[in-house]
Amino acid sequence: MCLVLGVGLIGGAIAGAVLAATDTGRPEEPTGFEEARTLWHSVPVDTLFPRTLAGPGAGPGTAARAWTRVVVAPDAPCSTTTLSRSVLTSLRSVGCDRVVRATYTDATSSSVITVGLVFTQADPAAMRALGSGIGADLPPALAGPGTVAARFGDGQRASWWTRALPDLPVVVYSVSGFADGRRVDTPQPADQAMAAGQTTAPAQAGLGHEAKGVADRVERGLRKAATAAAKENDR
């Protein structure tokens, strides 16, 4: 009996080791990963940046938010004009293709939010390695002459959010500010501005929520577009 039990345990251990080796092998590429690389020129701008975005529960205290697009920039190369220095530096090792950007305003036209999609040449492992530390500094703002975002420049940036997607070769970022052109001397990352008890100007104005809310919804639309492209290729 002991012999049988011992053989069984040894066999189980060997099988477990084989399975562990398989599990630690190269992971399967996420659905839509390759298709996402070309979405910046293969889908309509209204797909990447809808004219309106709904944000139920996206504001402070889960208040509802809604945003309207006021300007879209042509696709552009990866540079300090379109990216923060930390993102640009992080992507040099994996390759960066194009950046597309748009600016939204909230329902009261009191805040403006630039959101960007950065399409990279990275593979899945490289995207996972980029992590959350990619967005250590403020992204550039996109002004819109003749719109509520006409005075949205570097000095008006108040809060920002940056995320390297682990399952798509894209970095999503956003930066928010006041629509009246007031200068913000101490910008604050969105996760800090949204924390309880914050009394900074960006926090009290809900600009952390604005930055993250717009970025989240643009990211969701990007994922839907990538999944749809993958399904189309499978037909």
Side-chain angles (χ1 to χ4, degrees):
M1 183 179 295
C2 291
L3 178 61
V4 172
L5 180 59
V7 171
L9 290 174
I10 293 171
I14 294 173
V18 171
L19 288 174
T22 301
D23 289 343
T24 56
R26 185 170 182 175
E28 186 175 337
E29 187 173 277
T31 301
F33 192 93
E34 280 304 316
E35 289 81 0
R37 293 190 194 278
T38 60
L39 291 180
W40 62 270
H41 65 76
S42 63
V43 299
V45 66
D46 288 349
T47 298
L48 295 179
F49 302 120
R51 294 178 181 274
T52 59
L53 297 170
T62 69
R65 283 289 186 269
W67 301 279
T68 301
R69 193 184 74 202
V70 294
V71 60
V72 178
D75 64 273
C78 305
S79 69
T80 54
T81 302
T82 56
L83 298 177
S84 69
R85 292 188 181 277
S86 61
V87 171
L88 190 61
T89 299
S90 297
L91 294 180
R92 279 177 182 154
S93 62
V94 298
C96 184
D97 282 332
R98 302 296 284 181
V99 182
V100 291
R101 299 183 295 161
T103 295
Y104 287 81
T105 187
D106 71 321
T108 64
S109 296
S110 60
S111 63
V112 284
I113 310 98
T114 293
V115 59
L117 296 173
V118 187
F119 292 84
T120 79
Q121 299 169 13
D123 60 21
M127 288 306 299
R128 290 192 298 272
L130 286 174
S132 59
I134 193 170
D137 55 348
L138 283 150
L142 172 64
T147 73
V148 68
R151 291 179 286 179
F152 190 28
D154 286 352
Q156 288 67 47
R157 296 174 298 176
S159 189
W160 75 99
W161 175 264
T162 307
R163 172 168 150 80
L165 305 186
D167 54 347
L168 293 178
V170 181
V171 174
V172 181
Y173 71 77
S174 60
V175 58
S176 60
F178 295 102
D180 61 8
R182 78 182 76 172
R183 187 175 184 86
V184 180
D185 294 327
T186 310
Q188 193 173 31
D191 56 347
Q192 295 181 19
M194 294 187 296
Q198 289 289 315
T199 58
T200 63
Q204 292 189 331
L207 290 173
H209 290 81
E210 300 283 6
K212 187 175 185 300
V214 170
D216 282 351
R217 278 139 191 88
V218 169
E219 178 184 328
R220 292 175 194 176
L222 175 73
R223 291 185 182 282
K224 289 180 180 178
T227 299
K231 289 181 179 178
E232 183 67 25
N233 286 344
D234 288 340
R235 290 180 181 178

